[in-house]
Amino acid sequence: MATPEQQSVAQALLATLEEQAAQHDVDIVDVEVVGAKSSPVVRVRIDHADESAPGISLDEVTAQTQWISEALDAADPFPGAYTLEVSSPGIDRPLRTLEHFARFKGEEAVVKLVEPLDGRSSY
C-alpha cells in the first residue's frame, strides 16, 4: 500500500497529466506511486478518451508514453531517478471519476474501502 507521501505525489502527477490528456485524446485512469523512496515506480494507467472506442492497444500505449514521460520529467516529482510504467487499466480497472462510473453503468464492480465497515473492506 502506498504511503501518504506517495499518495500525495500520485495526486499531483495525476493533475499534471490530466491537464494534457485531452489534447492527446487519452483518459488518465489513475496514477500510482509505489516502491522505495530511493527508487520509486510511477504507474500510469491510460485508456481512450472516447468511451465507444475499444480498449487501448499496446501500440497506442507505447505512442502515448513519450508525452507522459516528458510531462513527468517537467514536473520533477522526485530528487533522483524513478521508473515509469504506462499500461492499459486491464480487467481490474479502477473507477475514479463520475465518467468512469457512467461508462460502466450496469457492470459488476468490487468496492474496496480504505477502512473496514462492519468488519468488511470489500463489497
Side-chain angles (χ1 to χ4, degrees):
M1 182 154 184
T3 66
E5 181 180 346
Q6 289 173 324
Q7 291 173 347
S8 178
V9 170
Q11 288 299 314
L13 295 177
L14 176 64
T16 296
L17 294 175
E18 283 184 327
E19 289 174 4
Q20 300 179 40
Q23 67 192 32
H24 295 281
D25 200 30
V26 167
D27 175 30
I28 306 298
V29 175
D30 75 338
V31 175
E32 180 181 27
V33 177
V34 296
K37 192 173 187 175
S38 61
S39 58
V41 176
V42 178
R43 294 182 180 143
V44 180
R45 292 177 191 86
I46 63 173
D47 203 351
H48 292 285
D50 178 6
E51 295 178 5
S52 64
I56 196 161
S57 72
L58 181 57
D59 288 339
E60 292 167 317
V61 168
T62 301
Q64 298 293 336
T65 298
Q66 181 66 37
W67 76 265
I68 292 170
S69 177
E70 290 170 0
L72 295 184
D73 286 346
D76 197 21
F78 308 104
Y82 63 92
T83 301
L84 173 62
E85 296 177 358
V86 180
S87 67
S88 71
I91 195 162
D92 290 330
R93 174 195 185 99
L95 302 176
R96 183 179 53 80
T97 67
L98 289 176
E99 291 81 11
H100 292 167
F101 282 90
R103 180 176 180 181
F104 294 98
K105 181 180 177 182
E107 299 291 328
E108 187 172 318
V110 174
V111 176
K112 294 183 181 180
L113 305 177
V114 174
E115 294 183 25
L117 176 66
D118 296 330
R120 290 182 60 190
S121 57
S122 289
Y123 292 87

